[in-house]
Amino acid sequence: EIIFDSAPRAGAIGEEDIAKALKESLVSNWGWVGEAQGQMRLMYWSPAVHLGVVRCARVPVEQVRAALTLVQSIKGRPSQF
């Protein structure tokens, strides 16, 4: 579950924005090698309930979990995973 302010604004947060924020978090914390090893994909995103399913490789799962936790904002909106 992703928690962010859902006040109506121009430019809603979409699936692409979530996937981009997750990838950027992996790259900024573990570099391109960590991002490649994680093989992270956003499989499903529901904008109605702010719930998504992320799939990743088995071995670096702890890095992916940490990267999710370290995302602070998406498109300038504060967020919490």
Side-chain angles (χ1 to χ4, degrees):
E1 179 178 14
I2 303 172
I3 302 170
F4 57 86
D5 71 5
S6 57
R9 295 184 193 172
I13 294 176
E15 187 173 341
E16 299 84 23
D17 302 316
I18 304 292
K20 182 179 175 184
L22 298 178
K23 181 177 179 176
E24 287 175 355
S25 179
L26 261 176
V27 170
S28 67
N29 291 291
W30 284 279
W32 292 105
V33 173
E35 192 269 330
Q37 289 174 342
Q39 301 175 13
M40 186 172 58
R41 293 187 305 174
L42 183 63
M43 302 295 290
Y44 173 77
W45 170 249
S46 171
V49 293
H50 300 174
L51 183 68
V53 176
V54 174
R55 183 176 182 161
C56 69
R58 183 172 175 226
V59 174
V61 71
E62 293 300 322
Q63 290 178 340
V64 172
R65 284 183 186 165
L68 291 172
T69 303
L70 295 171
V71 173
Q72 295 180 355
S73 66
I74 300 171
K75 285 183 75 173
R77 296 186 190 179
S79 63
Q80 179 182 352
F81 282 76

